[in-house]
Amino acid sequence: MSGFVRVAGALERRFPPAEASVLATLVEDLRTLIDVGGPEDAVLARLAPAAYEEAGDAAEFADYSRPRVLDAKAEGAEAVLADLAAARGGVVRVPLDRVPLWLRALTDLRLALFERSGGRPTGATEDLADWLGWLLGQMLEELESGPTGADAPRGRR
């Protein structure tokens, strides 16, 4: 299994141990940043950008929305970590209702890598960003391919 495949209400993918470890480390780092990073952190500013140009309006809106935005991002990170931890034989199962959480977390990781690299990732950072983009693409392609088997509505099996 090289990409994600739809299997009975979920997407599954076999992650070799090195890939699973890299992904878990990246997600754990993101989770830590969400927990302890301050509003001045460029990555958090990218993940929860200002909604207004005027500083007072932006600060007021951030006070109201930022905790919820970052909680949602933390929820995505937690879902990825939980699904990686529950893998059996290297196969990670992502229930279809959790796929949006994965998509959010993978996107947030890519944004973090781009922000930390000044918008121009190179070398290993570029490879990681490309790999995360490939994972995102694989998930979306499998979702777009439509339901099959037990997931298919009547008449499509």
Side-chain angles (χ1 to χ4, degrees):
M1 176 183 323
S2 63
F4 285 92
V5 294
R6 187 186 297 252
V7 178
L11 296 183
E12 290 185 351
R13 182 183 186 277
R14 180 176 306 284
F15 280 85
E19 282 187 4
S21 178
V22 166
L23 184 55
T25 298
L26 289 171
V27 174
E28 287 167 356
D29 289 349
L30 179 64
R31 183 69 173 106
T32 299
L33 177 63
I34 290 168
D35 285 344
V36 300
E40 68 285 344
D41 187 285
V43 171
L44 290 180
R46 179 79 183 258
L47 295 178
Y52 298 96
E53 288 184 25
E54 198 277 313
D57 291 340
E60 183 179 340
F61 186 79
D63 287 345
Y64 173 75
S65 64
R66 187 180 179 99
R68 282 187 280 177
V69 168
L70 294 179
D71 284 348
K73 295 187 178 300
E75 180 185 15
E78 291 296 329
V80 172
L81 291 172
D83 292 339
L84 287 171
R88 295 185 186 264
V91 176
V92 174
R93 181 176 176 81
V94 182
L96 291 177
D97 64 337
R98 289 169 66 98
V99 168
L101 297 172
W102 270 70
L103 295 173
R104 180 185 306 140
L106 294 173
T107 300
D108 290 344
L109 287 172
R110 291 189 82 221
L111 286 170
L113 288 171
F114 278 94
E115 189 60 43
R116 287 286 188 247
S117 67
R120 298 177 188 264
T122 59
T125 303
E126 182 178 24
D127 292 343
L128 282 172
D130 288 347
W131 177 65
L132 293 168
W134 180 81
L135 289 174
L136 276 162
Q138 287 292 309
M139 290 186 100
L140 291 170
E141 284 178 23
E142 193 58 31
L143 288 172
E144 289 176 357
S145 69
T148 59
D151 295 330
R154 286 189 180 191
R156 260 197 88 182
R157 290 186 188 196

